[in-house]
Amino acid sequence: MEQAPVIRPLVVGDLEKIVSIEQEAHAYPWKKSIHLSCIEQGYPSLVLEQGRAIIAYVVFNYLYDECHLMNITTQPSVQGRGYASQLIQTLYEHSKLAGMKAIVLEVRESNHPALSFYTKEQFEKIGYRPNYYPKGQEREGAVVMMRSLTNHTPA
Ligand SMILES: CC(C)(COP(=O)(O)OP(=O)(O)OC[C@H]1O[C@@H](n2cnc3c(N)ncnc32)[C@H](O)[C@@H]1OP(=O)(O)O)[C@@H](O)C(=O)NCCC(=O)NCCS
């Protein structure tokens, strides 16, 4: 039987593995220097391990009473198995304990899997930023989404 995943803080020793998953999973991956900068700035990010191997991570930070979710990624070979859902539940718990009232994020308007994921997680669209992300020689917009942490009861 498969062991339950372990969710723990992301530390600098995880950097190489995170960057490797990032490059595999994203059409426009973050550079290693961005991940390193998030770690150095002390963002309270999390990784999910299955059998001691990292397979998903979420990078976020707290700003006043809002948690800003900047990157959630599951290794492509194990997507669709509920790992991001488990990780984001832990993010909600940590954020509530830290006094956050809501989670806020931006997502590429063409990123349909992520949009479906956030919608299932009861995020609502609260804005739109045109030409926010580079996309090849062009740009694409960002959908801004928010999920309250005070209006939801556990499923
Ligand atoms: C978005 C992402 C993190 C989801 O991770 P995951 O571990 O595969 O997600 P889960 O298995 O927990 O899926 C939960 C729900 O999200 C939705 N979802 C996830 N992947 C989906 C897809 N490819 N198409 C449509 N809906 C999808 C579904 O509603 C799913 O529930 P269901 O399985 O009951 O239908 C993953 O697709 C990913 O890493 N994408 C690349 C990185 C990225 O774009 N991150 C988001 C922006 S930073």
Side-chain angles (χ1 to χ4, degrees):
M1 202 174 70
E2 202 172 58
Q3 288 178 329
V6 171
I7 296 175
R8 62 158 177 84
L10 191 164
V11 297
V12 73
D14 301 325
L15 187 60
E16 298 299 330
K17 179 65 180 168
I18 297 297
V19 169
S20 156
I21 296 173
E22 176 84 15
Q23 286 173 350
E24 205 189 329
H26 288 261
Y28 299 93
W30 280 12
K31 289 181 183 157
K32 183 176 178 178
S33 57
I34 298 180
H35 278 291
L36 180 59
S37 165
C38 291
I39 295 168
E40 286 176 343
Q41 290 179 71
Y43 291 3
S45 308
L46 299 167
V47 296
L48 182 149
E49 289 181 317
Q50 183 73 70
R52 294 196 166 181
I54 295 172
I55 55 171
Y57 53 88
V58 59
V59 178
F60 59 97
N61 198 19
Y62 301 138
L63 194 63
Y64 301 103
D65 59 358
E66 286 181 352
C67 169
H68 287 245
L69 195 173
M70 288 169 279
N71 188 337
I72 184 164
T73 303
T74 300
Q75 186 175 294
S77 60
V78 293
Q79 286 180 4
R81 298 190 195 176
Y83 290 122
S85 304
Q86 291 182 56
L87 198 47
I88 208 166
Q89 301 312 313
T90 305
L91 167 66
Y92 301 151
E93 288 163 21
H94 284 217
S95 296
K96 279 191 219 173
L97 285 172
M100 301 300 112
K101 301 278 192 294
I103 314 280
V104 180
L105 59 84
E106 285 122 11
V107 55
R108 286 177 182 267
E109 60 184 324
S110 66
N111 191 345
H112 298 292
L115 285 163
S116 296
F117 171 67
Y118 295 133
T119 301
K120 186 175 185 198
E121 285 297 324
Q122 298 176 286
F123 281 79
E124 292 175 4
K125 180 177 171 180
I126 58 162
Y128 177 75
R129 302 193 209 284
N131 302 316
Y132 190 73
Y133 294 107
K135 188 179 188 184
Q137 300 303 311
E138 300 177 359
R139 312 279 304 175
E140 75 169 311
V143 179
V144 187
M145 304 185 88
M146 186 171 84
R147 182 192 189 278
S148 167
L149 290 170
T150 56
N151 297 338
H152 293 271
T153 47

